[in-house]
Structures are given as C-alpha cells and as structure tokens.
Amino acid sequence: MTDLTEALRSSFVGVFMRDNPDLFPAMEMAHFVGLSILMGAMIVIDLRILGALTNVSYRASFKLIPVAIAGFLINLISGVAFICTNPALYLTNWAFWLKMGLVVLGGLNALWFTFAEHGKLSALPDDARAPAVARFMAFASLLFWVLVLLLGRLLPTFASVAGG
Ligand code: HEM
C-alpha cells in the first residue's frame, strides 16, 4: 500500500495539485457539477425504466446517456486529482474503498444496460412496461449512485475517524 501511496503522491498529478493549492477547491466544484449532471441524468433514465415519467418516451430519456457519461468522467478526473493530492488520506479510509466498489458496480450495471437492455427498451412502445430485469437494473443503478454520493460526502468524516 505504501508503494501505491508513494506512486500516486509523487505522480505528475499529485505534485501539480500540491504546487497549485487553489486547484483542490476547483476540483471539488468540478466534482459537484459532475455528480449533479450524473445524478440528474440517471434519475430521469432509471425512473422512466421503472415506469414513472411516462410522458417521456424511453428513447427521449436515453438521449441523456451521453450526459451521464460526461458527468461520470468529470468525477473520475476530479476524483483521481483528489487522491493524488493526498493519497494516504483516502487509501487508509474504508469508506473510500466501499465508495470505489460501488462506483465499479454502478459502472458494470451501466455496461450491462448498454449491451443487454438498451436495444430492447428502445424498441418498446412507450406505453409498454419495461421487463423485470431492466427494472431491477434501474433500481440497482439508483441505489448504487445514491450510495456513492452519500459515501463521498462522508469521506472527510470517515477520514478523521480513521486518523487521516
Ligand atoms: C468516478 C470516480 C470517483 C472518484 C475517484 C471519487 C473520489 C472522491 C474523493 C477522493 C473525494 C474526497 C474529496 C475531499 O477530500 O474533499 C470525493 C468526494 C465526494 N464525491 Fe467522489 N469520486 C468519484 C465519483 C463520484 C461520484 C460518481 C459521485 C456522486 C454520484 C461522487 C460524490 C462525491 C461527493 C458528494 C463528495 C464530497 C465532496 C465534499 O463534500 O467535499 N463521487 N470523491
């Protein structure tokens, strides 16, 4: 773990972030914009699949997928910048690892949707109910991203508990 910590700390991103301390709050602002964009798009897409927002067609809601991807990429970039600035604060923090596990689950769930369900749902008439597997996936998606958001907010709190 110390090798990983040192590798992240001495990385170009880590050195650059610590040499420019105003970048950290700028990354925090970017992280909030990213999560707002991601959550906003996912809530519309997942609620549509779950049978709410029926005045919005499946295909119209899926037009938000690139928006969700953009939000996720903003959070990935700003999140990596946070970690490289002070890796010891996060790599020793169980809430951080739980959050990263949920980010991976959320990502795998999104890949499953893209390759297994997206085509079928796009072909559905708008008054048709989505198949149970797609509704399960939409519920799981909402659960994963809300937990990621809550764990993200609690990260600094758990860091102090973990003695970071
Ligand atoms: C994609 C990979 C992501 C990484 C590597 C990451 C990493 C981090 C890190 C290290 C922090 C702590 C920053 C600090 O010390 O102030 C943080 C904060 C946070 N993250 Fe993420 N995150 C990611 C994605 C997300 C996503 C997808 C969401 C929401 C859906 C999210 C929501 C939050 C929130 C709410 C905070 C608290 C910000 C604060 O109050 O200062 N993160 N994230």
Side-chain angles (χ1 to χ4, degrees):
M1 187 63 79
T2 41
D3 293 351
L4 175 61
T5 305
E6 195 37 47
L8 292 169
R9 193 182 153 70
S10 57
S11 68
F12 168 78
V13 177
V15 173
F16 189 74
M17 286 292 293
R18 287 191 303 280
D19 286 353
N20 302 279
D22 294 343
L23 275 180
F24 196 90
M27 286 299 151
E28 284 192 315
M29 286 192 278
H31 214 67
F32 263 97
V33 170
L35 74 89
S36 308
I37 292 172
L38 172 69
M39 294 302 290
M42 293 314 296
I43 285 169
V44 173
I45 296 167
D46 291 334
L47 286 182
R48 182 61 190 90
I49 297 171
L50 286 166
L53 309 176
T54 48
N55 55 337
V56 180
S57 75
Y58 287 112
R59 283 165 299 288
S61 72
F62 296 162
K63 288 202 169 76
L64 290 171
I65 293 171
V67 177
I69 294 170
F72 180 80
L73 290 176
I74 293 171
N75 274 36
L76 184 61
I77 294 164
S78 53
V80 168
F82 292 148
I83 298 164
C84 292
T85 308
N86 185 358
L89 189 64
Y90 307 109
L91 301 188
T92 56
N93 182 344
W94 63 267
F96 170 77
W97 289 110
L98 185 56
K99 177 182 173 178
M100 291 303 106
L102 287 161
V103 166
V104 170
L105 283 177
L108 290 173
N109 194 37
L111 285 175
W112 173 22
F113 166 79
T114 307
F115 294 106
E117 297 301 322
H118 182 250
K120 281 185 264 177
L121 288 170
S122 299
L124 272 184
D126 290 331
D127 56 359
R129 196 170 186 219
V133 66
R135 283 180 277 126
F136 167 77
M137 180 209 61
F139 176 77
S141 166
L142 281 178
L143 183 68
F144 291 148
W145 295 120
V146 167
L147 288 175
V148 166
L149 183 143
L150 296 177
L151 277 165
R153 177 74 278 297
L154 290 171
L155 272 182
T157 313
F158 284 113
S160 56
V161 172

